[in-house]
Amino acid sequence: MTKQGMTPEQAANLSMAEQHEWFRRATSRRAMLRGGLVGAGTAIVGAAGLSGTASAAPLRSAASLLPTADRPTGSTVVPFGRHISFGADPTRQMSVAWQATNSVRNPFVRIGRSPRDLGEKLHADVRVLSTLASDTSPIDSVALVSPSTVEQYYLHASLNGLRPGETYYYTVGHDGWDPRANLAVVNSFTTAPSKRGPFTFTAFGDQGISYDAVATTHLIAGQHPAFHLHAGDVSYAEGTGHGLITDSYDPKVWDSFFQQVEAVAATVPWQVASGNHEMEPWYSADGNGGLAARFDFAGQQNTYYSFSYGNVGVITLDANDVSYEIPSGNGYTGGKQTAWLKQELAALRKRADIDFIVVQFHHCAYSTCSSHASEGGVRQYWTPLFDAYAVDLVINGHNHVYERTDPLKAGKVTTAAPSGATVTPATQGTTYVVAGGAGNSLYSFPAKDSYDGAVDDVSPIASFVNEPGQTKTAESVTWSRVRYTGYCLLAIDSAPAARGRTSKLTVRAIDGFGAEIDRVVLARTAK
């Protein structure tokens, strides 16, 4: 029996919403007995939380948790963990987010066209996550005298009315900490251009906190990307990854994560997907309340969302909704996400300014990796839609390796695509890439690696698909074209063309040392 009074076996028989409701009632009873604060999982997720989440319980002032004399004033609370993401319109909107170690008053952003001329204060909202320390599993040593509650303060400011293709400079602060007086770091970002032009973006998944994660983070900066996609399993604060109330969880790992990525994420918009290690039933019925407190989703209120940049439409999905392998979140949207996906794909394909559609999510549609292989729920609900709307590229994580398929239609190879090949998605189908080597411990393949400079084609490969009831169905795979056991970054170069000519999307895989290990060109006739 756990501290919460539930075993992992009992939790596994409950949905995410049922676990959250049980936990909410259990911690409320504990709080009443103590006459203290509402228990772990208390969350304030701003004025507009994720749709579908349970209402957050009221949060008593954090000052009641510690003696007033022990709490620092605003002048000693230094902002950290800056990270940005696009608003609904990347040409004119940006979200700036950061952390504070304690409660602060009147948090703000100063923004300007020059680092020497930062304008008036723009208000920031505060999103608070409160977690009882007794319900966590700290990965580090715990002091003899410690607060009973872990309080995390996330600040978010929405910047609107920006100019397309312009670089802006910003600093963050609060009452008692004015960045102009404290010589704080000035960061910058550039909005999306209104006209078509070449650009690069990057992607990976399964990062965590490690020296390899530091290395791949800085590989991003070397590509000078317009934005970065994170395909889930971001920090591994939720260490077990089953989405159960009994899983190990240390919320402070998120503090380390944001500090680790700040040098890049403060300048490059990060667009994250929810992985199985982001399912945190402590904060909301769908498990996404914690993620919503920490990140913004392109101006949308779900962990599935979309945006466009130049000639590329990007869709981010929450594969926990369709996962058979890890079923805690299975079906949590009641089919709404899949219906939304169909509408979004149809809308993007109709747009004359969009050449390519890129979809990112966590669980793999196609992978031979020995650890998780392929997700049958994704194949059942989503890959038919990818075929119907000729999605160009799908990016996944979950398996901590690099793997690329030949182009597929209905799960069948249409043509061999070795490194350096050109694929025409409109006729040959979708290319699927697993880029789960962002920094967490590596997995392995059942067959030899095969990548640029070390080609060793093996076919067929014995693998499996995760099916309902957490069963595994064996399959013989012929679509695995490139495999690499190592840390990696995906860099994607868009080269739009004039109407009637060929636009290209070049997908490059870069290993942890910066060397290219794979390349494939996706080609489409511009509308």
Side-chain angles (χ1 to χ4, degrees):
M1 193 70 68
T2 69
K3 293 179 182 178
Q4 293 91 353
M6 180 180 288
T7 66
E9 292 75 20
Q10 291 170 328
N13 290 321
L14 300 177
S15 70
M16 185 76 66
E18 289 170 334
Q19 290 182 69
H20 176 70
E21 178 60 19
W22 178 90
F23 186 70
R24 187 184 66 80
R25 292 185 179 186
T27 52
S28 294
R29 287 194 299 270
R30 288 155 59 188
M32 289 176 63
L33 290 172
R34 289 193 309 270
L37 180 71
V38 173
T42 299
I44 295 179
V45 190
L50 286 182
S51 61
T53 62
S55 298
L59 180 66
R60 182 178 292 183
S61 171
S64 65
L65 300 176
L66 293 173
T68 302
D70 292 340
R71 297 188 66 80
T73 65
S75 62
T76 61
V77 178
V78 182
F80 73 99
R82 297 160 184 82
H83 54 287
I84 64 173
S85 60
F86 288 131
D89 179 359
T91 67
R92 297 183 181 278
Q93 297 173 317
M94 193 72 72
S95 171
V96 175
W98 67 98
Q99 268 189 271
T101 53
N102 286 280
S103 178
V104 296
R105 294 181 179 275
N106 300 318
F108 62 84
V109 171
R110 290 189 184 275
I111 183 172
R113 301 288 298 281
S114 164
R116 296 178 299 276
D117 183 21
L118 300 178
E120 63 183 293
K121 297 177 181 178
L122 301 177
H123 174 72
D125 294 325
V126 182
R127 306 175 190 177
V128 182
L129 293 181
S130 178
T131 315
L132 284 177
S134 59
D135 290 310
T136 69
S137 304
I139 65 170
D140 208 343
S141 56
V142 178
L144 180 62
V145 179
S146 300
S148 61
T149 305
V150 177
E151 300 288 332
Q152 293 175 298
Y153 300 88
Y154 296 96
L155 303 311
H156 295 255
S158 296
L159 309 181
N160 302 302
L162 306 175
R163 296 180 181 179
E166 294 287 343
T167 297
Y168 291 87
Y169 298 85
Y170 75 92
T171 59
V172 300
H174 50 261
D175 283 1
W177 183 271
D178 191 314
R180 293 186 298 187
N182 288 281
L183 299 178
V185 173
V186 177
N187 297 109
S188 67
F189 62 80
T190 302
T191 55
S194 58
K195 298 180 180 179
R196 293 161 65 93
F199 66 93
T200 295
F201 64 97
T202 53
F204 60 39
D206 304 85
Q207 191 175 10
I209 309 296
S210 70
Y211 47 75
D212 293 298
V214 171
T216 54
T217 297
H218 287 283
L219 283 177
I220 296 171
Q223 297 299 314
H224 307 288
F227 57 89
H228 177 67
L229 303 180
H230 199 305
D233 281 7
V234 183
S235 76
Y236 289 84
E238 207 281 27
T240 312
H242 295 159
L244 303 180
I245 206 73
T246 54
D247 285 357
S248 63
Y249 177 54
D250 185 352
K252 290 185 177 181
V253 170
W254 281 105
D255 302 351
S256 297
F257 171 79
F258 284 120
Q259 190 71 26
Q260 173 182 270
V261 303
E262 181 174 21
V264 177
T267 298
V268 177
W270 281 44
Q271 309 298 145
V272 302
S274 181
N276 57 292
H277 284 272
E278 276 70 65
M279 290 192 290
E280 298 173 349
W282 299 273
Y283 305 117
S284 66
D286 62 4
N288 290 324
L291 203 66
R294 301 178 184 107
F295 291 96
D296 295 291
F297 309 120
Q300 293 153 70
Q301 300 302 315
N302 296 296
T303 50
Y304 52 95
Y305 59 97
S306 68
F307 66 92
S308 60
Y309 190 105
N311 67 329
V312 177
V314 179
I315 294 176
T316 295
L317 299 175
D318 184 349
N320 295 314
D321 186 29
V322 297
S323 175
Y324 291 134
E325 180 197 10
I326 304 172
S328 297
N330 185 280
Y332 84 86
T333 71
K336 291 180 180 179
Q337 179 177 204
T338 299
W340 172 87
L341 171 62
K342 182 177 181 180
Q343 295 174 352
E344 199 66 22
L345 288 171
L348 285 171
R349 267 295 163 240
K350 290 178 181 178
R351 285 177 51 177
D353 60 328
I354 297 297
D355 296 325
F356 299 100
I357 298 177
V358 175
V359 181
Q360 74 152 344
F361 52 90
H362 188 62
H363 299 255
C364 300
Y366 296 95
S367 178
T368 63
C369 181
S370 303
S371 295
H372 298 296
S374 303
E375 175 52 65
V378 169
R379 292 191 188 180
Q380 177 180 348
Y381 293 102
W382 294 347
T383 58
L385 294 176
F386 301 158
D387 291 339
Y389 294 97
V391 167
D392 300 275
L393 177 65
V394 171
I395 299 170
N396 299 139
H398 203 38
N399 286 301
H400 302 182
V401 290
Y402 174 81
E403 187 170 19
R404 176 175 62 79
T405 70
D406 289 323
L408 301 177
K409 278 190 172 184
K412 304 297 183 182
V413 175
T414 60
T415 186
S419 186
T422 295
V423 172
T424 55
T427 58
Q428 295 178 326
T430 305
T431 297
Y432 294 82
V433 173
V434 178
N440 206 271
S441 57
L442 296 170
Y443 294 165
S444 61
F445 291 106
K448 290 183 178 180
D449 282 15
S450 181
Y451 54 94
D452 195 13
V455 176
D456 191 351
D457 287 330
V458 178
S459 186
I461 298 173
S463 189
F464 64 90
V465 184
N466 292 283
E467 300 286 8
Q470 294 183 290
T471 59
K472 298 178 180 179
T473 300
E475 68 173 352
S476 184
V477 168
T478 61
W479 36 253
S480 179
R481 178 55 54 185
V482 180
R483 295 173 301 280
Y484 173 72
T485 305
Y487 300 103
C488 63
L489 172 70
L490 208 59
I492 300 135
D493 309 311
S494 177
R499 182 178 180 181
R501 296 184 177 273
T502 302
S503 292
K504 294 181 179 180
L505 202 66
T506 301
V507 182
R508 298 178 287 120
I510 301 166
D511 71 14
F513 304 100
E516 186 174 302
I517 56 172
D518 184 32
R519 173 185 292 245
V520 65
V521 178
L522 310 181
R524 272 189 180 273
T525 301
K527 300 174 185 177

